[in-house]
Amino acid sequence: MTPLRLGYGTNGLADLRLDDALALLADLGYDGVGLTLDHMHLDPLAPGLAARTTRLARRLEALGLTVAVETGARYVLDPRRKHGPSLLDPDPGGRAVRRELLTTAVRVAADLGAHAVHCFSGINPGDTDPDTAWKRLEESLAPVLDAAAAAGVPLAVEPEPGHLLATLDDFRRLRRALGGPAPLGLTLDIGHCQCLEPEPPADCVRAVAPWLRHVQIEDMRRGVHEHLPFGDGEIDFPPVLEALAAAGYRGLTVVELPRHSHAGPELARHSIEFLRAADAARAARTNGARS
């Protein structure tokens, strides 16, 4: 059984300076951080990115934190369009801007020693037929996957409710279309499984174990895409943690509460206490079954 390694997403600590957020997570006992490239923390578009990344790498090492690089910042590329432009943008120039952000994220991840780079497809523009949108996605990801292969960092695509690539079946479709390239992995959001997958979250973990490269976790209710603090939703967590351990997943399991920065420090504390207790219950159940 692989030990659970917990992280917390900086998109849920947006009211803190990055250095303060990292110190908080280390003090609370987190193993790492899900670092969203955004203007308030590590701005991927500001001057001096390489030097800032080097300083951050030293800080992470000093604190004993590992990292995953996430690219879900809402307005980092366009101050007027949430998550725009996307890999599906009708404008080829817009798609190129998003590709450049992702290849930048791959370089940052390599310099930080990150275990994965997270991304998602984006919402299909309303006047675009699905086949065209899928073609754009495949073409847009190809150079990013080349960069990921060269850097030795997996690109972990997240099925996101409401996006073109919304489900685990959609992820499988993408892998087939691209020929199953080695750098292409999966970001599995446990809450999203509860929200819209037909199988329970623990079964989802088992079903996609071979491609699992990054995990996000929070509570959620069936049919409602709202990231909730632990205990406010419907997920039974010990079976989920059992499935992750049995799958041999070695990356971070990152708490994803991007709409709760106003209470970030308290929720970071609550989250690690909740997940450690759930993991203890998981271990006790496993040991009891073996005795």
Side-chain angles (χ1 to χ4, degrees), residues 7 25 35 48 70 81 90 93 97 125 135 144 166 173 178 184 194 199 207 209 214 237 240:
L25 298 182
L35 175 68
E70 303 190 350
R81 287 192 296 162
V97 168
K135 185 70 171 176
V144 183
R173 171 178 175 169
L178 293 174
L184 178 61
Q194 177 69 21
E199 302 299 328
H214 185 42
F237 284 96
V240 173

Side-chain angles (χ1 to χ4, degrees), residues 166-191:
T167 67
L168 297 180
D169 279 346
D170 291 335
F171 171 76
R172 295 183 183 99
R173 171 178 175 169
L174 178 66
R175 277 195 60 85
R176 289 194 301 270
L178 293 174
L184 178 61
L186 173 72
T187 292
L188 185 67
D189 187 301
I190 301 302

Side-chain angles (χ1 to χ4, degrees), residues 11-99:
N11 60 2
L13 297 169
D15 294 307
L16 276 68
R17 297 176 182 88
L18 180 57
D19 195 61
D20 292 338
L22 297 177
L24 169 73
L25 298 182
D27 288 346
L28 289 172
Y30 280 93
D31 301 289
V33 59
L35 175 68
T36 296
L37 301 184
D38 207 349
H39 66 88
M40 78 288 289
H41 289 146
L42 189 65
D43 188 340
L45 305 184
L49 177 60
R52 289 183 286 118
T53 302
T54 297
R55 288 195 296 271
L56 176 57
R58 294 189 186 119
R59 181 61 172 155
L60 291 167
E61 183 178 11
L63 293 170
L65 295 172
T66 57
V67 63
V69 172
E70 303 190 350
T71 62
R74 294 184 180 97
Y75 296 101
V76 68
L77 295 179
D78 188 329
R80 293 173 175 82
R81 287 192 296 162
K82 181 180 177 183
H83 296 147
S86 78
L87 297 172
L88 311 177
D89 201 284
D91 177 13
R95 299 198 296 275
V97 168
R98 177 61 63 171
R99 284 197 306 272

Side-chain angles (χ1 to χ4, degrees), residues 254-271:
V254 173
V255 178
E256 182 80 356
L257 292 173
R259 298 183 182 179
H260 292 78
S261 283
H262 62 282
E266 175 58 25
L267 281 172
R269 181 196 61 78
H270 166 73
S271 297

